[in-house]
Amino acid sequence: MSTTTSTAPLRFHPLRDSATMLRRNLEHMLNYPSMTVMLVGMPVIFLLLFVYVFGGTMGAGLGGPTGGRSEYVAFIVPAILLMTVTAAVQGTAISVAMDMTEGVIARFRTMHIARVSVLTGHVLGSVIQTMISLVLVLGVALLVGFRPSAGPVEWLATAGFLLVVTFALVWLAVALGQVSKTVESASNVGMPLLLLPFLGFAPVESMPTGLRWFAEYQPFTPIIETLRGLLTDEPLGNNLWIALGWCAVTALGGYLWSKKLFDREPTR
């Protein structure tokens, strides 16, 4: 009986440990709301800028039954939602890099907890923060005239799809945060992910040949087109399956890379 009692505390409890790490990250989010404000602020600024400064001209070029600014709002919002996700990904990389450089991860490694829980806590916390940011950005989009034609099923599918995209990119961000040597470099390493959604701000048909080819085949284009189809009741074609394929590759690659980095580096 005494042997069982003495060894019981040494058992790993991945779910319990993950919940503890999740609570830590949520408390950090509540204690530092400026990060959430920053993650929401940038997509909102770009939304307002492009809708009210360029919306009339860009919308007229799109054609459609109405044209103008209202047409462009419907076109740009899916790209803005993806930008919100990538902005949150950048915040995740910064958060992980802070833990690495300040020695927090090193202390966690010395504790008798499930090692995967440290990474899982970051991932789940970032997913929750991103979902909150998406709701806020979507609220602003509705205020500026976004009128999606999606029904309850399409809205549910949109939420699930955004969750999948966020989960995949956050795992990549965790790896990027670990591989960054400083917090400053972590803020820059995810910059390409932040810039790629800009290719969804205009129709690919209007781009020069080289840029058009890149825009058509870069991973974020099928994601944006899937969101656009779900929200505006347009045909999805193969975009959904291509987007899910990219998400699966990104999530698996990000997870394996993150785990390898976390297991390999005993100190920072």
Side-chain angles (χ1 to χ4, degrees):
M1 179 66 69
S2 60
T3 302
T4 303
T5 303
S6 61
T7 58
L10 298 179
R11 295 174 182 171
F12 290 114
H13 298 278
L15 292 179
R16 183 195 64 190
D17 295 341
S18 296
T20 300
M21 292 299 167
L22 172 60
R23 184 166 62 250
R24 168 185 176 268
N25 283 278
L26 292 178
E27 289 176 353
H28 187 272
M29 181 181 69
L30 293 175
N31 292 333
Y32 298 94
S34 58
M35 177 63 74
T36 303
V37 172
M38 182 186 70
L39 299 180
V40 174
M42 187 181 63
V44 168
I45 289 174
F46 278 109
L47 174 64
L48 298 178
L49 174 65
F50 275 83
V51 168
Y52 288 110
V53 177
F54 306 112
T57 302
M58 297 287 287
L62 291 173
T66 57
R69 185 169 288 110
S70 61
E71 192 78 14
Y72 188 61
V73 171
F75 182 86
I76 196 177
V77 165
I80 291 292
L81 293 178
L82 181 57
M83 177 179 285
T84 305
V85 175
T86 57
V89 165
Q90 190 177 32
T92 302
I94 293 173
S95 178
V96 172
M98 288 178 62
D99 280 354
M100 298 293 291
T101 56
E102 293 176 0
V104 175
I105 298 296
R107 289 196 293 271
F108 284 151
R109 286 194 178 104
T110 64
M111 299 171 61
H112 195 81
I113 59 176
R115 295 174 69 85
V116 70
S117 67
V118 179
L119 302 179
T120 303
H122 270 291
V123 170
L124 296 179
S126 297
V127 168
I128 292 173
Q129 185 179 36
T130 304
M131 292 297 107
I132 295 173
S133 300
L134 284 168
V135 170
L136 295 176
V137 172
L138 186 58
V140 175
L142 293 173
L143 290 176
V144 300
F146 180 52
R147 296 296 180 263
S149 55
V153 175
E154 287 77 13
W155 275 111
L156 186 61
T158 300
F161 181 69
L162 284 171
L163 184 62
V164 170
V165 173
T166 301
F167 181 79
L169 292 178
V170 165
W171 268 117
L172 178 60
V174 171
L176 294 176
Q178 291 184 81
V179 80
S180 300
K181 301 300 182 182
T182 64
V183 175
E184 289 75 15
S185 63
S187 64
N188 297 324
V189 71
M191 191 61 66
L193 297 178
L194 196 60
L195 296 177
L196 285 176
F198 279 102
L199 294 175
F201 281 31
V204 295
E205 295 81 7
S206 64
M207 301 177 183
T209 303
L211 183 60
R212 175 179 178 177
W213 181 90
F214 177 77
E216 287 178 342
Y217 293 101
Q218 62 105 0
F220 284 176
T221 295
I223 294 175
I224 294 173
E225 292 299 329
T226 298
L227 289 172
R228 190 169 288 138
L230 289 172
L231 292 171
T232 59
D233 197 24
E234 296 179 358
L236 297 179
N238 294 325
N239 289 314
L240 174 61
W241 305 114
I242 297 174
L244 291 177
W246 277 113
C247 289
V249 171
T250 303
L252 180 60
Y255 168 76
L256 294 177
W257 190 18
S258 298
K259 190 174 184 301
K260 180 179 179 180
L261 290 170
F262 190 82
D263 292 340
R264 185 185 63 185
E265 300 180 5
T267 58
R268 190 68 177 175

